[in-house]
Amino acid sequence: MSSYKKNAYKYSTIVAMGGFVFGLDAALISGTVNFISQEFGLNDIQLGMVVGAPALGVLLALLFAGYACNEYGRKRTLQIVAALYVISALGSTFAGGYWMLLAFRFLGGLAFTSISLASMYIGEIAPPKLRGKLVTMIQINIVIGLSGAYFINYLILQLGASDAAWVTDFGINKYTWRWMLGSEIIPALAWLALLFTVPRSPAWLYFNGKREEEARQTLAKLLPQDKVDSYLEDMKDSMEKSTEDRSVWSQLKGVFDKKYRVIFIIALTLAIAQQTSGINAILFYAPTVFEQIGLGTDAAFMQAIWTGLTGLLFTILGLILVDRLGRRPMIIGGMLWIVISLGIAFYGFNTATYTLTKEAVSEITEIEDKGRLDKMIDVEYSSDIKLKRALIKSLGAEEAREHSSLLIQKSAKINAILILIGILSFIAAFHFSIGPVMWVLFSEIFPNSIRGIAIPFFTLITSTVSWLIQAFFPTQLASFGISNTLLFYATTVFIGMIILYKYLIETKGLSIEEIQEKLTRSKA
């Protein structure tokens, strides 16, 4: 492998580690849901706020991310983000109550810009023929982080049930959820240290102060020598065609410029559809989702690990194929695959019934005064939501929430295999298609004149949708049931697929300038 390719892979790998830390931060919370709910006495809204707090935090950060990227550079902004991950992990681990935990989770959300910033940076340093593969590395790191989080949670859960002296000495059984959240600290510190070894973006160097010689030196590490001058010439042409006003406000107005209307439609659709697929509801509440099938807590945590491994496998497959198949077929085909998969899971949940038998109730030792369940015995409930409403009437809201997983497990008559196939198929489809490829497209479709603002702007939109999905998933689950929630996700993805089928062009192998030319010629 040539030296410039080695450098491109090295720098991209380091920056893409932000995806790994993001994945850890995002999924570790899934294992703590029941623990923090009980310790801090949280209701559904408060629980949703704790889980969704980072997605809310990123909304604030993205308002300033574009300015920071343009003013201080991609590298410096990434270093700030890494430091925020460290502070958030420390604060969340030692949180003394609900509000403190919420605050540090929110602070961690300020660092969730690592995904958009990483895709921006890698898109600017990657040779055009490697761009798709290198940007997709972000998604691979995210999925490795997610998988690692599920495994760490499962391992800590098992250790917490052990009577070993060292487990007690370290407080693993007493502070289970704190150990889960604390496992992020070391990876976040490692990423912060490694970011000091990457160069500044050549595009930022050139477009902010015309530091041509520095940009040339960086490009010489990333491109064949005979390509450096032509690449700089493309930057010069792009800059001359763009407005002289390089302010944040001018770039933001450029996002809405009529000549970029097709780019706007593509980016907006991707930003919304990626998150209304419900991916973060499934990933961040994975054990909770699997408990709806009737699995016990340990089994639900184990299935969450399989979710992570499935995502990893198909992200790697997507990485291999993104520069071969192209972006358009992977997006359109993947979204159709998502719709079908969610449809399968919807059917499985929609046909389930729930009946508590006298024998099942007699086996329960976790509930005091089981006589309160007598009116529910041998009554068939046609959905999880009807069962939960009956539990609230019998046990009260707090006890119903605490024991709903156990009672679903005891009462469910459900095609668990079909639902598992549907959910794992959905995970595979997402990580093969719109999950990573959206970030590839974000790194490609925006012209250099507005990309410093455009990528954070559309990431703000996708993060807003992500926060809404995460924060209100427990409420959706309690109010509408799992089947109707999945049906909603499938419908929104289908609408997005129709829009992208009309407007999305193929971008593989093209320079940013060539992509811009094709998209600005397209008509909305």
Side-chain angles (χ1 to χ4, degrees):
M1 183 184 293
S2 58
S3 60
Y4 77 88
K5 288 185 178 179
K6 288 180 181 178
N7 286 331
Y9 273 104
K10 180 175 73 173
Y11 300 144
S12 298
T13 299
I14 290 172
V15 172
M17 278 183 63
F20 174 76
V21 182
F22 167 85
L24 275 180
D25 193 288
L28 284 170
I29 193 68
S30 69
T32 72
V33 167
N34 289 334
F35 295 106
I36 62 176
S37 293
Q38 292 177 25
E39 182 165 334
F40 298 143
L42 307 184
N43 57 35
D44 287 337
I45 294 294
Q46 290 173 319
L47 176 60
M49 290 301 295
V50 167
V51 175
L56 186 60
V58 78
L59 303 186
L60 176 63
L62 286 168
L63 296 175
F64 303 98
Y67 171 81
C69 281
N70 288 335
E71 186 69 19
Y72 306 115
R74 288 45 160 159
K75 176 180 176 177
R76 292 286 180 264
T77 307
L78 281 166
Q79 289 170 331
I80 293 170
V81 161
L84 287 172
Y85 272 128
V86 175
I87 296 168
S88 170
L90 284 166
S92 298
T93 300
F94 296 103
Y98 166 68
W99 288 107
M100 186 176 177
L101 178 61
L102 185 67
F104 279 103
R105 290 280 296 160
F106 178 85
L107 185 66
L110 300 180
F112 274 24
T113 52
S114 59
I115 307 305
S116 63
L117 298 178
S119 67
M120 184 191 304
Y121 178 92
I122 295 173
E124 291 173 354
I125 69 163
K129 291 185 179 179
L130 295 177
R131 191 188 305 116
K133 185 177 295 185
L134 294 179
V135 174
T136 306
M137 288 172 62
I138 300 169
Q139 188 69 24
I140 286 187
N141 274 271
I142 292 174
V143 179
I144 292 173
L146 293 170
S147 302
Y150 295 139
F151 178 78
I152 289 167
N153 284 345
Y154 182 75
L155 178 62
I156 292 174
L157 186 71
Q158 297 305 307
L159 288 174
S162 170
D163 293 328
W166 70 272
V167 170
T168 303
D169 290 342
F170 283 97
I172 296 176
N173 47 5
K174 184 177 180 181
Y175 303 113
T176 302
W177 68 269
R178 297 183 187 275
W179 277 94
M180 290 176 178
L181 297 184
S183 63
E184 180 189 343
I185 297 170
I186 292 177
L189 281 170
W191 186 47
L192 175 60
L194 287 170
L195 283 173
F196 284 90
T197 67
V198 304
R200 289 182 176 274
S201 160
W204 180 81
L205 288 169
Y206 190 82
F207 279 86
N208 290 266
K210 294 185 179 179
R211 295 155 67 174
E212 183 173 340
E213 188 54 39
E214 290 182 66
R216 183 188 299 276
Q217 291 173 7
T218 301
L219 287 171
K221 300 176 183 178
L222 300 164
L223 294 170
Q225 291 303 311
D226 59 346
K227 298 288 186 182
V228 173
D229 288 336
S230 63
Y231 209 89
L232 278 170
E233 194 63 32
D234 285 343
M235 287 185 182
K236 182 179 179 181
D237 291 343
S238 177
M239 190 170 185
E240 288 176 352
K241 291 176 183 177
S242 66
T243 176
E244 290 297 322
D245 185 357
R246 302 291 301 161
S247 68
V248 170
W249 176 245
S250 176
Q251 291 183 62
L252 184 59
K253 286 195 296 184
V255 171
F256 297 92
D257 194 298
K258 185 177 180 180
K259 66 181 177 181
Y260 300 142
R261 184 172 297 169
V262 172
I263 296 175
F264 183 90
I265 292 172
I266 292 170
L268 182 65
T269 304
L270 286 168
I272 294 174
Q274 194 209 49
Q275 290 303 318
T276 55
S277 68
I279 186 64
N280 284 338
I282 302 296
L283 294 179
F284 296 1
Y285 293 93
T288 302
V289 171
F290 285 116
E291 284 173 358
Q292 304 302 305
I293 302 176
L295 302 174
T297 300
D298 284 359
F301 270 78
M302 193 64 213
Q303 293 300 331
I305 293 177
W306 282 107
T307 296
L309 293 176
T310 301
L312 177 59
L313 173 64
F314 281 87
T315 302
I316 293 173
L317 185 61
L319 169 69
I320 295 170
L321 296 177
V322 67
D323 285 320
R324 298 182 186 180
L325 294 180
R327 288 53 156 160
R328 178 180 165 86
M330 288 183 69
I331 285 285
I332 304 301
M335 292 176 80
L336 179 60
W337 183 3
I338 287 172
V339 172
I340 294 171
S341 301
L342 289 173
I344 291 171
F346 160 76
Y347 176 80
F349 278 116
N350 199 48
T351 55
T353 60
Y354 304 82
T355 306
L356 272 174
T357 64
K358 189 173 182 179
E359 292 76 13
V361 172
S362 66
E363 295 171 358
I364 297 172
T365 59
E366 293 83 354
I367 299 176
E368 296 181 4
D369 188 12
K370 291 183 289 186
R372 292 176 292 169
L373 297 172
D374 287 348
K375 292 182 179 180
M376 295 179 61
I377 291 176
D378 294 330
V379 177
E380 182 176 281
Y381 299 94
S382 59
S383 69
D384 58 316
I385 190 64
K386 290 182 179 179
L387 173 68
K388 290 175 183 177
R389 286 171 180 168
L391 288 174
I392 291 172
K393 289 182 179 179
S394 298
L395 301 178
E398 187 174 338
E399 280 194 81
R401 189 184 308 112
E402 181 180 350
H403 300 298
S404 63
S405 171
L406 172 65
L407 292 165
I408 287 174
Q409 179 189 353
K410 294 290 186 181
S411 63
K413 294 179 181 178
I414 193 168
N415 192 335
I417 298 299
L418 181 67
I419 294 172
L420 281 173
I421 290 172
I423 291 177
L424 292 178
S425 177
F426 162 62
I427 297 296
F430 179 89
H431 287 99
F432 179 77
S433 61
I434 196 169
V437 182
M438 184 188 82
W439 297 110
V440 175
L441 287 167
F442 275 13
S443 77
E444 296 177 327
I445 63 176
F446 302 113
N448 283 319
S449 58
I450 64 169
R451 62 190 287 108
I453 292 298
I455 294 177
F457 174 79
F458 285 101
T459 306
L460 174 63
I461 293 174
T462 200
S463 298
T464 301
V465 179
S466 175
W467 173 72
L468 291 171
I469 294 294
Q470 294 172 52
F472 292 102
F473 180 70
T475 305
Q476 277 186 302
L477 211 57
S479 302
F480 305 113
I482 185 68
S483 60
N484 289 328
T485 301
L486 294 176
L487 181 62
F488 167 77
Y489 296 156
T491 302
T492 59
V493 174
F494 181 77
I495 294 170
M497 181 185 70
I498 298 300
I499 296 171
L500 291 173
Y501 183 83
K502 179 177 180 180
Y503 291 110
L504 184 61
I505 66 167
E506 185 51 66
T507 62
K508 72 171 182 177
L510 302 177
S511 69
I512 291 174
E513 288 72 26
E514 289 169 334
I515 294 168
Q516 178 186 346
E517 186 177 348
K518 288 184 69 174
L519 285 171
T520 51
R521 285 203 309 262
S522 302
K523 293 184 179 180

